[in-house]
Amino acid sequence: MLKTGGLDRFISFQDGIVRCEAGITLGEILELAVPRGYFLPVVPGTKHVSVGGAIANDIHGKNHHRAGTFGRHVRRLELLRSDGSRAEVSPGDELFNATVGGLGLTGLITWAEIALRPVPGAAVQTDALKFTGLDEFFAISDESDALCEYTVAWLDVLSREHRGIFYRGDHAAGAVRAPRARVSVPVDVKLVNGLTVRAFNAAYYLAQRGGKRVGHYDPFFFPLDAVDRWNRLYGKGGFLQFQCVVPAREGLRELLDEIARLGAGSPLTVLKKFGDVPSPGMLSFPRPGFTVAIDLPSSEIQTFARLESIAAGAGGALYPAKDARMSAATFVKSYPRLDEFKRFLDPAFSSSFWRRVAG
Amino acid sequence: MKVLVLGATSAIAQAAARIWATRGDELLLVARSAEKLQAVADDLRTRGGKVETMVHDLNDRSSYSTLARLADVVLLAHGVLNGPDVLQTNLVGPVELLELIGEILPPGACIAAISSVSGDRGRAKNALYGASKAGLDAYLSALRQRLFHKGVRVVTLKPGFVDTPMTAQMQKSPLFSSPASVGRGIVRAIDGRRDVVYLPWYWRFIMLIVRMIPEPLFKRMSF
Ligand SMILES: Cc1cc2nc3c(=O)[nH]c(=O)nc-3n(C[C@H](O)[C@H](O)[C@H](O)COP(=O)(O)OP(=O)(O)OC[C@H]3O[C@@H](n4cnc5c(N)ncnc54)[C@H](O)[C@@H]3O)c2cc1C
Ligand SMILES: NC(=O)c1ccc[n+]([C@@H]2O[C@H](COP(=O)([O-])OP(=O)(O)OC[C@H]3O[C@@H](n4cnc5c(N)ncnc54)[C@H](OP(=O)(O)O)[C@@H]3O)[C@@H](O)[C@H]2O)c1
């Protein structure tokens, strides 16, 4: 990993276009932009992501069905290569397309220019709908994607009937207060096991009243940021994240049934339908289909391998940003532009991931 | 509010200046590297500050009369950890400059200078640095007395270890703070009423203990 902590300066902000160094976080951009009536075109589940990291993994958000990936909204960027040369690239340049989703392997992004979107304020109007069974999920998802900017579902993986809560939202007008300071998990405590996950999921499901509300954007987009060091809930061993996309409904069903059967999973299982807005990135992860993200305690490596083989068998792909164990075979199979990408590798930049899957 | 920042490219100074910029304050930035200063100025402008810049080497005393400007707050931040200029940069220059600035500041204004916990007790590891900051502490205390009756505040800022380019070579430990948290502390100290502020606050107690170690024991120690 390289540290981009020093690259933390804004360069300009004009007419909804922000130019900044690559170490600026998405949270810092929102702090600057929202009071001026703009929002990032794409945000992930945490605001503590740098612009460089957002481009290198070509991140997606709850509005993938409308806005596509982060990389689609980058207007230009500067790349510093290990031979000391600097290249300013923009959409259409092959080096740009390699760098978007390029896992940091094409050089160091020093700054980037991002087109923001206008919003009426800091508020989002959200709606939560309970569902039981995948057919109900598919129906709500199709309807909501046509209606709303943001859609995502939380799924109780351990309930065999696949119950969950579907969240959808849009930016809205109106004054809302920012959330208060965060709570912290002070020590490593192992709270997550099959029993507590089940209890959590049941309690969470029952506690959700559903229905519409208007609130600040922060808890809607970044619920985990409110709990500092939440990964400590998994105890000292930490956790693995598994995220894949599968193109068709049958593949999704098979995957979720297997997760339920293995009794694996966490309170944070997320399900979303990706749209078909294309990304410029050669190694971009999002593609049409359904994406599932689950957290597994690090001890469950076999579960990981099992899920990988189901996803790959269903013609899907794994997300390298959350990779812990992806095999070379799966990577090569699911990223068809890999050979094209390799021409743009910077010889000095590599990673353990890259050595394992392509080395 | 108008703030004169001396050594505006310092990581700690930038962190404080970002808060002022976000509030929409006026900033007059002084630094020796034109290129770095330009990047800092663009950042602060983008965040909402009204920014002016002046490029000066602060070891060059011929610039001091131009630098003595009217401001509500003066933040003196420049400094070096080692090298041939430690005493000049951290002590002699700041004293000469603050002598001039103290003369012209109006009642209600505030001078805040970044000293260091290192000034509390000399250590073999950074003798000149510690001496320069101890000297600065003594001078600031004198200036505080002198300007008290004029209604001008003098704040001595004493950070502990901060993760900045100055400490890039040092082994990091849990005692290190981020420039952002120290920057917040500086803004709070200037808004508040304390005279001597440790950043973060617990360094006051760490240094109290360090100062209490008897000299016959201290001379044998190596930290
Ligand atoms: C709680 C949580 C929720 C998440 N939710 C989502 C989500 O909803 N959608 C999604 O897409 N992702 C999500 N992610 C993943 C996250 O967005 C990506 O891993 C992102 O790349 C992390 O960025 P970072 O700044 O932390 O970078 P790092 O983790 O430091 O780096 C990530 C990659 O970016 C490269 N990189 C970083 N900076 C640069 C640079 N300046 N130049 C070149 N390469 C660089 C690194 O080499 C590395 O390959 C989530 C992660 C967490 C922890
Ligand atoms: N970091 C710590 O652990 C720590 C702890 C206690 C106190 N402090 C004090 O905090 C202050 C700021 O330091 P920092 O940590 O923010 O480190 P920093 O980022 O290295 O800042 C030091 C700044 O001083 C400037 N400078 C040095 N000599 C100068 C000169 N002759 N003329 C003009 N500018 C000059 C440097 O300019 P260039 O960028 O051009 O070199 C640099 O911007 C210093 O006074 C330091 O002693 C730091």
Side-chain angles (χ1 to χ4, degrees):
Chain A
M1 293 285 139
L2 76 202
K3 213 177 158 208
T4 53
L7 291 172
D8 66 346
R9 286 185 287 240
F10 283 106
I11 299 167
S12 63
F13 180 98
Q14 219 169 22
D15 304 325
I17 309 244
V18 66
R19 185 189 279 217
C20 63
E21 294 178 347
I24 286 274
T25 66
L26 301 190
E28 290 173 284
I29 294 181
L30 290 176
E31 263 173 51
L32 181 80
V34 174
R36 292 163 172 78
Y38 289 93
F39 206 82
L40 279 163
V42 171
V43 293
T46 169
K47 58 181 181 286
H48 306 302
V49 162
S50 68
V51 166
I55 297 172
N57 274 318
D58 196 18
I59 60 166
H60 56 271
K62 297 175 173 54
N63 59 349
H64 182 271
H65 59 287
R66 295 227 173 142
T69 62
F70 193 87
R72 280 191 73 243
H73 307 272
V74 178
R75 292 165 43 108
R76 58 183 66 239
L77 59 84
E78 187 191 68
L79 205 59
L80 174 60
R81 306 270 289 184
S82 59
D83 61 8
S85 67
R86 285 170 190 266
E88 202 178 307
V89 293
S90 45
D93 298 334
E94 285 193 297
L95 185 53
F96 178 90
N97 299 345
T99 300
V100 168
L103 307 171
L105 300 168
T106 60
L108 177 74
I109 301 163
T110 54
W111 57 259
E113 198 176 277
I114 303 151
L116 307 178
R117 52 163 294 168
V119 287
V124 285
Q125 181 189 346
T126 60
D127 197 358
L129 306 134
K130 290 190 181 185
F131 63 86
T132 304
L134 281 184
D135 290 331
E136 212 172 312
F137 163 80
F138 293 135
I140 298 178
S141 181
D142 288 344
E143 176 203 292
S144 305
D145 282 0
L147 285 174
C148 300
E149 173 77 16
Y150 301 104
T151 62
V152 70
W154 166 85
L155 194 70
D156 176 356
V157 265
L158 299 186
S159 75
R160 305 230 161 180
E161 72 272 28
H162 297 312
R163 64 181 176 182
I165 301 165
F166 196 97
Y167 298 95
R168 55 191 194 186
D170 280 296
H171 292 283
V176 282
R177 257 203 278 153
R180 277 191 288 150
R182 43 206 207 157
V183 292
S184 175
V185 180
V187 286
D188 295 309
V189 281
K190 188 149 168 52
L191 281 183
V192 180
N193 56 40
L195 204 69
T196 46
V197 170
R198 216 172 284 273
F200 174 93
N201 285 352
Y204 188 79
Y205 186 79
L206 292 173
Q208 291 295 315
R209 267 163 298 157
K212 288 190 194 346
R213 64 180 65 174
V214 175
H216 193 267
Y217 68 80
D218 198 288
F220 177 66
F221 290 112
F222 316 119
L224 291 175
D225 290 353
V227 186
D228 201 12
R229 317 228 198 159
W230 54 278
N231 52 332
R232 286 179 169 177
L233 288 173
Y234 290 85
K236 269 238 180 306
F239 63 96
L240 297 172
Q241 289 187 307
F242 174 89
Q243 182 171 355
C244 68
V245 55
V246 288
R249 296 182 176 195
E250 303 74 63
L252 177 65
R253 225 180 266 281
E254 195 190 340
L255 190 72
L256 294 177
D257 285 341
E258 184 68 4
I259 293 172
R261 199 185 61 79
L262 292 169
S266 65
L268 306 166
T269 299
V270 172
L271 174 59
K272 158 144 188 87
K273 186 175 171 191
F274 278 155
D276 53 12
V277 188
S279 161
M282 294 177 188
L283 292 192
S284 192
F285 159 72
R287 57 201 76 187
F290 298 91
T291 186
V292 177
I294 72 171
D295 294 337
L296 301 168
S298 323
S299 48
E300 298 199 23
I301 295 169
Q302 294 87 338
T303 309
F304 193 97
R306 179 82 192 103
L307 299 181
E308 172 179 335
S309 80
I310 294 177
L318 263 60
Y319 189 14
K322 307 229 172 142
D323 168 73
R325 296 284 179 276
M326 192 195 317
S327 69
T330 302
F331 188 65
V332 170
K333 181 174 166 222
S334 53
Y335 288 86
R337 294 178 74 184
L338 188 58
D339 284 330
E340 190 186 347
F341 171 78
K342 282 183 179 166
R343 294 190 287 133
F344 301 96
L345 279 172
D346 185 310
F349 286 78
S350 193
S351 65
S352 56
F353 168 76
W354 188 252
R355 285 185 291 276
R356 191 175 74 248
V357 300
Chain B
M1 187 168 95
K2 182 165 177 176
V3 189
L4 170 63
V5 186
L6 302 164
T9 52
S10 130
I12 296 176
Q14 283 185 63
R18 286 175 182 186
I19 298 171
W20 288 318
T22 306
R23 290 182 185 174
D25 289 334
E26 253 178 273
L27 300 166
L28 177 51
L29 311 178
V30 185
R32 62 179 168 182
S33 154
E35 195 190 343
K36 274 195 221 170
L37 183 58
Q38 179 65 42
V40 173
D42 286 345
D43 174 68
L44 296 171
R45 261 185 214 117
T46 304
R47 290 175 196 263
K50 297 179 196 68
V51 181
E52 270 184 81
T53 60
M54 291 198 285
V55 177
H56 287 292
D57 186 319
L58 290 167
N59 285 343
D60 171 15
R61 57 202 302 192
S62 69
S63 68
Y64 292 176
S65 54
T66 18
L67 290 178
R69 301 278 195 102
L70 284 186
D72 302 298
V73 171
V74 176
L75 176 65
L76 183 134
H78 64 290
V80 288
L81 187 57
N82 38 44
D85 295 332
V86 173
L87 290 174
Q88 178 61 41
T89 309
N90 297 3
L91 179 58
V92 179
V95 168
E96 290 182 7
L97 192 48
L98 292 182
E99 283 289 287
L100 295 178
I101 290 175
E103 285 289 303
I104 61 156
L105 284 191
C110 172
I111 295 174
I114 309 186
S115 179
S116 166
V117 293
S118 300
D120 283 14
R121 194 157 191 182
R123 293 185 297 132
K125 276 209 178 115
N126 57 6
L128 289 191
Y129 183 78
S132 72
K133 296 297 189 182
L136 184 61
D137 283 352
Y139 172 72
L140 293 171
S141 149
L143 188 66
R144 183 176 301 117
Q145 266 193 347
R146 191 199 303 158
L147 298 182
F148 175 71
H149 299 288
K150 237 178 97 179
V152 174
R153 273 180 78 212
V154 175
V155 184
T156 307
L157 302 163
K158 294 171 83 72
F161 296 125
V162 193
D163 188 355
T164 71
M166 181 177 278
T167 53
Q169 311 304 327
M170 286 167 67
Q171 179 80 33
K172 299 295 177 294
S173 72
L175 273 181
F176 271 81
S177 306
S178 69
S181 84
V182 173
R184 278 195 296 276
I186 289 176
V187 171
R188 221 179 299 126
I190 290 170
D191 291 342
R193 9 184 9 139
R194 308 273 290 271
D195 298 317
V196 179
V197 177
Y198 286 78
L199 298 166
W201 56 271
Y202 48 74
W203 279 96
R204 179 180 294 274
F205 300 96
I206 298 177
M207 295 318 293
L208 186 67
I209 293 166
V210 171
R211 278 199 310 274
M212 275 171 16
I213 302 172
E215 203 64 34
L217 181 59
F218 194 73
K219 72 183 175 198
R220 294 182 164 81
M221 298 171 76
S222 62
F223 63 86

